[in-house]
Amino acid sequence: MRLPLHLTVDQVKNQIRHRGKKRFPYVLMLEPLYTCNLACLGCSVERHTGKLKDRMSVAECLAAVDDSGAPTVSICGGEPTVYPELKELIDGIIARKRHIYLCTNALLLDTKLFDVVPPHKRLTVNVHLDGMRKTHDYVTNREGVFDKAVQMLKQAVARGYHTAINLTVFRETEIEEVEEVCKFVTDLGVDGILITPGYQYQSVDHDIFLTRSDTEEKFKRIIEISKKYRLTSTPMFLEFAAGMRDYKCSPWSTVTRTPNGWKGPCYLIGKQFYETFDELWNETDWEYWESRQDEGCTNCAMHSGFEASVVRGLGKSPKDVMRMAAWNLLG
Ligand code: SF4
């Protein structure tokens, strides 16, 4: 199967549990801290403060897991391996029978993960890799990051962790290099490849992001790559990103908790931060954000907004249901 069986089962159970509801969370994007040990070109300066004291407590993180009810928790940040209580946090989420995507630049995996948290079927190590050596070191703004990430990926595979990479496509990204990365990590034994369009949603210094037409052009070619490699983006999402089909956004599907509170309306846009999950849920104008009429949505084709729209649209098309089942079962 393309996605781990228990993850698919838990997502289906989540759909059944919320049957009849128009909106409910699929994934919690958990940012226990803003601090990172890199200063990548595509990132905002708020990530590089080094202020560890501003992090969320483990109790706050686990309360967010409970409040959201989402079966999958994506631990991002900041860099989660810098979070001092990482083991306690992972243990607490696994004890709640949720699946974790640990989104990491991999630099500290050997000391902060491999030494303290054994492989578990509910834990996926999701390594940021935006290209081969020259490109990745350029995007991460430091020499040697690619080599270390690859070394850590090899170790993760050898030790039995479930692994994935997350590759962001920027304006200058050559699609030939995307294919080269797919081949390279497939040969390493990595389990999944997530390719996302780089979209400017916060103030950053570098103009490297895709317009909607850039995204469409690049993703038409990525659809070809998806026929050869184990991409975890659904075929319908890739067609959406390529401009071949249309969806409303589902910003409520990936609720985001940060050290500043619950971020609304979506993972990308922080118009407002709320103290409680109920405030985020009840006070956000979901219909407005679903419509994508806000100017902040103009160039967006992020999986965090649209993969749930794909799932929501399955009810209208038995053909898409069959494609989705085949994509997961035979992938
Ligand atoms: S279209 Fe993108 S930016 Fe707009 S609400 Fe959806 S996910 Fe957020």
Side-chain angles (χ1 to χ4, degrees):
M1 280 185 84
R2 189 177 301 251
L3 302 174
L5 178 62
H6 67 90
L7 179 58
T8 306
V9 169
D10 287 352
Q11 283 293 354
V12 171
K13 278 191 195 160
N14 194 43
Q15 300 290 320
I16 294 170
R17 188 155 41 100
H18 292 290
R19 195 174 29 206
K21 282 192 198 163
K22 204 168 167 191
R23 305 178 181 102
F24 52 90
Y26 295 26
V27 177
L28 168 65
M29 310 295 282
L30 180 62
E31 302 189 335
L33 76 176
Y34 278 134
T35 301
C36 189
N37 51 350
L38 282 176
C40 299
L41 300 188
C43 204
S44 61
V45 286
E46 69 178 7
R47 308 280 174 182
H48 320 135
T49 60
K51 287 186 191 160
L52 259 182
K53 69 176 172 45
D54 293 341
R55 70 189 185 274
M56 292 168 65
S57 68
V58 173
E60 285 172 321
C61 291
L62 295 178
V65 173
D66 292 338
D67 290 346
S68 76
T72 301
V73 180
S74 181
I75 309 180
C76 27
E79 168 53 43
T81 55
V82 173
Y83 186 67
E85 297 83 16
L86 183 64
K87 177 180 166 43
E88 214 180 325
L89 177 59
I90 289 176
D91 288 349
I93 298 173
I94 288 176
R96 284 162 169 75
K97 297 200 179 335
R98 313 297 170 91
H99 189 91
I100 299 170
Y101 277 86
L102 184 71
C103 303
T104 173
N105 59 35
L107 297 182
L108 299 174
L109 279 180
D110 42 2
T111 53
K112 302 293 182 182
L113 186 79
F114 300 156
D115 287 352
V116 286
V117 181
H120 192 284
K121 69 171 188 171
R122 292 189 174 276
L123 172 65
T124 297
V125 179
N126 188 23
V127 172
H128 164 209
L129 205 62
D130 284 343
M132 298 301 285
R133 182 179 293 108
K134 189 169 166 220
T135 304
H136 190 61
D137 285 358
Y138 168 73
V139 171
T140 56
N141 216 2
R142 191 189 297 175
E143 263 182 42
V145 173
F146 176 84
D147 288 339
K148 179 77 184 196
V150 170
Q151 190 194 341
M152 292 298 97
L153 265 174
K154 283 182 183 166
Q155 278 199 36
V157 171
R159 288 167 184 254
Y161 290 91
H162 189 256
T163 51
I165 66 145
N166 188 352
L167 186 156
T168 303
V169 176
F170 297 106
R171 204 166 58 203
E172 305 301 330
T173 304
E174 298 286 348
I175 297 302
E176 290 72 19
E177 186 171 357
V178 173
E179 179 152 12
E180 196 182 346
V181 173
C182 289
K183 176 165 187 339
F184 180 72
V185 299
T186 301
D187 291 347
L188 290 184
V190 167
D191 298 290
I193 302 167
L194 182 66
I195 301 181
T196 55
Y199 159 62
Q200 182 166 11
Y201 56 95
Q202 282 174 331
S203 55
V204 288
D205 291 336
H206 297 81
D207 186 14
I208 55 176
F209 297 95
L210 300 173
T211 63
R212 190 70 180 96
S213 61
D214 293 332
T215 302
E216 290 177 6
E217 191 189 313
K218 292 197 188 276
F219 272 74
K220 282 196 178 93
R221 297 188 55 200
I222 288 169
I223 287 175
E224 294 308 310
I225 295 175
S226 74
K227 293 171 186 160
K228 295 193 236 167
Y229 298 100
R230 239 171 160 220
L231 268 53
T232 49
S233 307
T234 61
M236 297 81 168
F237 170 77
L238 294 176
E239 287 174 6
F240 164 74
M244 296 157 65
R245 53 166 79 208
D246 202 20
Y247 287 108
K248 283 184 175 179
C249 184
S250 303
W252 37 264
S253 62
T254 45
V255 288
T256 305
R257 178 67 162 90
T258 77
N260 289 337
W262 290 91
K263 179 178 177 180
C266 68
Y267 179 59
L268 305 171
I269 296 180
K271 281 263 184 223
Q272 205 170 330
F273 288 82
Y274 301 87
E275 214 168 288
T276 67
F277 175 77
D278 286 348
E279 284 167 354
L280 165 78
W281 200 253
N282 297 324
E283 293 177 23
T284 305
D285 184 351
W286 294 121
E287 265 181 45
Y288 173 78
W289 292 102
E290 283 170 355
S291 73
R292 298 158 55 195
Q293 63 187 276
D294 193 89
E295 66 169 12
C297 302
T298 309
N299 290 317
C300 178
M302 280 295 288
H303 63 292
S304 55
F306 294 96
E307 282 288 16
S309 306
V310 168
V311 174
R312 196 161 58 157
L314 288 178
K316 295 179 201 147
S317 167
K319 194 173 149 209
D320 282 353
V321 174
M322 298 302 291
R323 273 184 84 194
M324 186 79 132
W327 169 81
N328 194 16
L329 292 171
L330 310 174

